[in-house]
Amino acid sequence: MTHRERVLAALRHETPDRVPMDLGGGRASSIHLTAYRNLAKKLGLAVPPPEILDVMQQVAGVHGSVQDALDVDIEFVNTDPAVVLDGDEIGTHYTDEWGVTRRMPEDGLYYDQDTGPLAGEITVADIAKHPWPDPHDPERTRGLRERVQAARDGSDRAVCMGVRGSIVHLSQYLRGFEDWYYDMAGDQEVIGALLDALLEVLLPVIDAQLKAAGDLCDIIFLGDDIGAQNGLQVSPDTYRKVIMPRHRKVFEAVRRGAPEAFIGMHTCGSVVDVIDDLIEIGVQVLNPIQVSARDMEPRALKERFGDRLSFWGAMDTQQTLPFGTEDEVRAEVRDRVGVLGEGGGYILSAVHNVQPDVPTENLLAMFDEARSFRPELVIG
């Protein structure tokens, strides 16, 4: 199979010739800048300065030569403005288009949030007066179709385009986390108005970007964390009342704009309590499958949801990849492929972006084992 055929077969719940693999196929399935440099050096590749897919998390776009060396199956097209770093950082502070300011601590790996422009006591009127980004800025789509077409023509990997639908993330950054949780518990009028204001920006952007290039994409990828280590960030009832109706609008916009593409969603943590709800609103591929979180055990997920959902991720980045041996990494690959990959429906990658504490040897062992392992040969 070609890389694209392999991915599409798996997402159709057909058995591919081997499990599809990913590194750099999305903003939440790539690699930290430091780890990326270590990987390229280990592979003996002189790669150009990478595009930064997420400045806050210092996530590097993976060059095609690295993807070729690893034989991964997904090519990512970022719809955010490109940021290329020649050095280690873009300065000690930066402010994003939403008005959120972040800083890089001394010897830090990521940018920490400094300010949320809508923190503190606010009203619905304050939300309306906030200087919101212009959703109709032509830069959001300028050259996008050409970039997606180039990704499609430049390799036989499946093309995944990321769009922004992160109403939970963005509302937390704007309000600050403490005020956000208080709102969810006690002032749902304010948080509802904030989520709706975000939709007024995000939905036209999604519409325009998918109109420009949605027909060229195999996967449309969104991210919005609703889980934590031991459960949801809010109760299931609050998710269904406050967040889910807005999420539904996001996924309806994606389906309108890219009717043939598979829709993938990234959400960290324990989300088992609302996976049925995510499927209902249109999620077809769930990432990253944080196996160390409560009730996110792969076999249970496959048995309960595997006929309606594909899984993307599941290689443990809290224990196995950073602290395990190469043999333990290989054993986990065999387990994940044997369980989540049975009958298709699985793309193997790390749980979230590969961090600097992951030994490069473990990362290479993961891809090497996934390239060669065939469960049917073991069973036979």
Side-chain angles (χ1 to χ4, degrees), residues 272-319:
V272 65
D273 293 335
V274 293
I275 288 179
D276 278 320
D277 301 289
L278 297 178
I279 294 170
E280 178 187 325
I281 63 176
V283 176
Q284 296 169 294
V285 194
L286 186 64
N287 169 280
I289 317 302
Q290 189 177 324
V291 294
S292 58
R294 178 184 66 83
D295 294 337
M296 294 294 287
E297 195 277 320
R299 188 172 298 279
L301 294 176
K302 184 73 171 183
E303 290 176 354
R304 184 173 172 186
F305 306 108
D307 60 334
R308 298 172 290 148
L309 187 69
S310 294
F311 303 98
W312 181 349
M315 287 297 298
D316 182 22
T317 44
Q318 286 186 306
Q319 293 296 326

Side-chain angles (χ1 to χ4, degrees), residues 149 163 222 245 310 321 374:
Q149 188 67 62
V163 297
L222 307 93
S310 294
L321 282 176
R374 304 290 189 274

Side-chain angles (χ1 to χ4, degrees), residues 22-24 26-32 54 56-57 59 110 169 221 223 225 266-269 287-291 312-318 321 349-355 358 363 366:
D22 171 43
L23 181 71
R27 292 189 195 95
S29 64
S30 191
I31 185 168
H32 187 277
D54 187 305
M56 176 182 68
Q57 299 180 80
V59 179
Y110 325 98
H169 276 324
F221 189 83
D225 286 346
H266 165 84
T267 174
C268 289
N287 169 280
I289 317 302
Q290 189 177 324
V291 294
W312 181 349
M315 287 297 298
D316 182 22
T317 44
Q318 286 186 306
L321 282 176
S349 71
V351 173
H352 218 296
N353 297 304
V354 175
Q355 297 300 303
V358 173
L363 187 59
M366 179 179 79

Side-chain angles (χ1 to χ4, degrees), residues 183-195:
D183 290 346
M184 281 291 176
D187 197 345
Q188 292 180 357
E189 179 185 8
V190 163
I191 195 64
L194 179 54
L195 296 176

